[in-house]
């Protein structure tokens, strides 16, 4: 029976959902995956941090508002000291995304890998900005840098290509990858104004106070960069994506389209073109014959064209922090199986 | 560099497409998967058989109509002798399906596994009727019994659950799994009668002379049984599926539905219900908000509900014998990697 020490960097909705999932799956992991785990560290931005090499009580961690009560470590330390103190086998990095540079998450993941930890993240920033460096480092350390939850929550996208599509060459993809804009467009179809729809998304917790990361297409562009870097083996930065958000789509545009049996969607595309890859994020009007038409609310889709399967789509509906947490759990189980 | 000897049992459209794919991917397999292969045997129902331990010339095999010219083996033998003579590491079994018993493919695959070959098939029959026995035998022999191409051609379904969804419990699925009936219904929407649509499917090679296997829902029921046996760990025979085909759907039904923005689809479902699993194949009218609505022609879809991802769909469009062949290649590469 293998035992793994886990550390959590960030303990927001996703971190908490992962803790809940680990509790729920504890016996199953023991019986079917022959492994046990303990959480030796949790650090949060606003509620302090806990380090306990005997294992933090996860049920308690889900209840308290001050983590220092759970800690056996004397005092607050910086993230690097925290990573060292946890003595973990696996670091789960779940801090907010930095679209521009991926920092400081890049440095934190690098530090964990250098200390022979598997580095697992739901944060797109480090993948968009430092995929090659972190993957090479992981490989050199015989550890894994995995990030299944960065695109389409916990739906298998990276593991799909890694483990189920050997010898397949990705030629292009097309999809709806940003839940917030998709929900905004869906609400506008129901008669809300853009601002009302944004407020709704803020209320249900899928849009930030400043919604521009979603609305201006940055989140989608970062996901395009992630997919292109990882699945098409091509270095592309988010700012290289031809990007247009949904601010110019009016309520009137949306309802006129709907009357014609069409819907506006923020569509991501990437297409190999010789040595280049053309990428784009832009609103598109799709007809009811398009599979994109049926992907509404917070659902997402990606359609892959490969040299061996001409059209393979993955669709995820009803995502939540629990779905994202599952991607992290899957990464953990896949990292330690190999 | 590992070398694998491959044997082909059946060399119809799928076997030929696999041969073509192996030729096309030969260098890639050598450089990226560190493996080489030779085909030491091909047996066909109507064009004789070839055995050559030095490797059959695959380009030639795609051209000839009498395989005995390619053979170094003295005379025609039965399938068991053929399997022995090939001395193969991997048997690709691609003979026509027997919905009722899965035979004789079950016995052929069993024989290959007993001789320490990986057994790979695109034939649903043996999976529906002997999944547990063949999988247990494979495990005992430290070989693999893989069958990715039996449901949704080469799209990853079984490897998805095997390799990308650890600790996920499948609660239900729903989908369109039979291309022929889906194409018939699509053609009927375009104004053809049932008989015309069936003729069209026969002409393009996706329906048999006797189309009842598709039209009466047998093929779909066998696929339901395969998915339930493999992914839900429950023994179910094709005849246990509550099965209704599309014979009672008239051209009039189809066009009236279409006028209302709806479409008839032959829908497969399986739902856990306590200790049982309720399964069904039946025509259903779906609306344009349903993702099933957009799956037309020979495309297929399955929507999985698991305890960790509430709705994950896989959609495959534009299948062909090449797609099925890819599933066999993927099985081969996945079998030998582990």
């Amino acid at each position: 029976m293998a035992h793994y020490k886990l550390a959590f960097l960030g303990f927001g909705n996703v971190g908490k959902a992962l803790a809940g999932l680990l509790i729920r799956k504890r016996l199953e992991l023991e019986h079917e995956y022959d492994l046990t785990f303990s959480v030796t560290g949790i650090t949060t931005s606003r509620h302090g941090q806990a380090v306990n090499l005997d294992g933090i009580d996860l049920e308690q961690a889900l209840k308290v508002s001050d983590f220092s009560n759970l800690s056996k470590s004397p005092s607050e330390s910086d993230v690097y000291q925290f990573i060292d103190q946890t003595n973990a086998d696996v670091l789960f990095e779940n801090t907010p995304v930095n679209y521009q540079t991926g920092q400081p998450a890049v440095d934190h993941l690098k530090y964990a890998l250098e200390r022979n930890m598997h580095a697992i993240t739901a944060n797109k920033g480090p993948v968009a900005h430092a995929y090659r460096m972190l993957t090479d480092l992981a490989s050199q350390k015989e550890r894994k840098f995995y990030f299944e939850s960065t695109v389409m929550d916990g739906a298998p996208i990276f593991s799909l290509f890694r483990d189920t599509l050997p010898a397949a060459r990705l030629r292009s993809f097309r999809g709806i990858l940003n839940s917030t804009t998709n929900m905004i467009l869906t609400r506008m179809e129901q008669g809300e104004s853009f601002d009302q729809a944004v407020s709704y998304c803020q209320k249900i917790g899928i849009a930030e106070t400043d919604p521009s990361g979603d609305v201006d297409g940055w989140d989608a562009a970062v996901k395009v960069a992630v997919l292109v870097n990882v699945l098409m083996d091509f270095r592309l930065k988010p700012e290289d994506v031809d990007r247009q958000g949904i601010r110019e789509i009016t309520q009137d545009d949306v309802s006129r389209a709907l009357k014609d049996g069409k819907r506006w969607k923020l569509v991501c595309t990437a297409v190999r073109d010789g040595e280049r890859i053309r990428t784009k994020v832009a609103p598109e009007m799709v007809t009811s014959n398009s599979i994109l038409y049926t992907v509404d609310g917070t659902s997402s889709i990606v359609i892959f064209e490969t040299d061996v399967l001409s059209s393979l789509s993955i669709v995820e509906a009803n995502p939540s922090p629990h779905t994202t947490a599952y991607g992290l759990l899957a990464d953990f189980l896949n990292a330690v199986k190999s």
Side-chain angles (χ1 to χ4, degrees), chain A:
Chain A
M1 183 86 66
H3 182 83
Y4 296 95
K5 296 188 291 299
L6 316 178
F8 284 58
L9 187 44
F11 205 66
N13 289 337
V14 169
K16 284 181 183 143
L18 176 59
L21 185 59
L22 283 166
I23 293 169
R24 180 159 75 80
K25 292 276 182 185
R26 191 188 287 273
L27 282 178
E28 195 177 327
L29 299 187
E30 200 170 321
H31 295 146
E32 292 180 27
Y33 291 81
D34 218 29
L35 67 85
T36 57
F37 64 85
S38 54
V39 174
T40 54
I42 300 177
T43 186
T44 69
S45 53
R46 282 176 293 183
H47 304 289
Q49 70 177 218
V51 173
N52 182 344
L53 295 182
D54 298 331
I56 293 166
D57 182 331
L58 269 187
E59 277 88 351
Q60 278 300 315
L62 288 171
K63 288 178 199 155
V64 299
S65 62
D66 180 0
F67 276 74
S68 54
N69 296 331
L70 298 173
S71 194
K72 288 207 174 169
S73 163
S75 65
E76 197 85 349
S77 55
D78 76 11
V79 171
Y80 300 97
Q81 289 170 314
F82 166 81
I83 293 172
D84 280 333
Q85 287 166 5
T86 63
N87 195 24
D89 303 298
V90 180
L91 177 74
F92 290 109
E93 196 285 330
N94 296 311
T95 63
V97 62
N98 171 336
Y99 293 131
Q100 279 69 46
T101 66
Q103 291 292 11
V106 173
D107 288 342
H108 297 157
L109 291 160
K110 180 162 176 279
Y111 193 81
L113 287 165
E114 282 166 347
R115 268 132 204 88
N116 298 305
M117 301 177 187
H118 295 291
I120 295 175
T121 186
N123 181 346
K124 299 170 271 295
V127 194
H129 291 280
Y131 165 68
R132 182 50 60 201
M133 182 273 283
L134 292 169
T135 298
D136 288 348
L137 175 60
S139 161
Q140 186 191 318
K141 291 288 185 176
E142 297 186 339
R143 291 297 179 275
K144 299 294 181 190
F145 168 51
Y146 280 171
F147 41 80
E148 192 58 89
S149 297
T150 56
V151 178
M152 290 178 70
D153 314 288
I157 301 296
F158 304 107
S159 56
L160 187 86
F161 276 83
R162 202 170 61 220
D163 289 324
T164 79
L165 295 172
R169 302 277 172 185
L170 182 55
R171 287 179 174 159
S172 72
F173 64 82
R174 175 173 156 80
I176 299 172
L177 298 175
N178 178 265
S179 292
T180 307
T181 47
N182 207 41
M183 179 58 98
I184 291 170
L185 293 168
T186 301
R187 299 290 294 189
M188 286 169 74
E189 285 172 352
Q190 292 159 8
E192 290 187 358
S193 69
F194 176 82
D195 290 339
Q196 287 171 323
V198 169
S199 298
Y200 174 80
C201 289
Q202 287 164 335
K203 205 178 73 189
I204 65 167
I206 63 168
E208 305 291 320
T209 314
D210 171 7
S212 53
D214 292 315
V215 165
D216 293 332
W218 273 114
D219 176 80
V222 170
K223 286 170 174 164
V224 168
V226 166
L227 291 172
V228 166
N229 275 279
V230 180
L231 302 181
M232 300 176 99
D233 195 22
F234 186 90
R235 286 173 199 234
L236 182 94
K237 297 215 167 280
E239 59 266 33
D240 299 334
V241 177
D242 178 2
R243 178 182 48 79
Q244 190 189 333
I246 61 161
R247 285 194 201 267
E248 280 161 41
I249 308 292
T250 64
Q251 214 278 332
D252 191 47
D253 292 334
V254 167
S255 36
R256 259 185 301 133
L258 203 62
K259 250 178 240 153
D260 292 346
K262 295 174 187 167
R263 304 179 100 170
W264 281 97
K265 296 289 176 191
L266 185 65
V267 178
C268 301
T269 51
V271 183
R272 261 190 215 286
D273 180 11
E275 295 300 296
R276 295 173 49 225
I277 293 182
R278 283 183 288 114
T279 55
K280 191 170 160 183
V281 170
E284 262 186 46
M285 205 160 58
V286 301
T287 69
S288 65
N289 290 320
S290 165
I291 193 168
L292 301 184
Y293 182 93
T294 62
V295 177
D296 58 11
T298 55
S299 300
S300 55
I301 181 171
V302 60
I303 308 168
F304 292 115
E305 182 209 359
T306 68
D307 67 332
V308 284
L309 298 175
S310 71
S311 173
L312 178 71
S313 307
I314 309 293
V315 189
E316 200 214 0
N318 314 322
S320 74
H322 298 280
T323 344
T324 308
Y326 173 67
L328 295 162
L329 176 69
D331 278 346
F332 165 42
L333 296 175
N334 286 328
V336 301
K337 87 174 170 194
S338 41

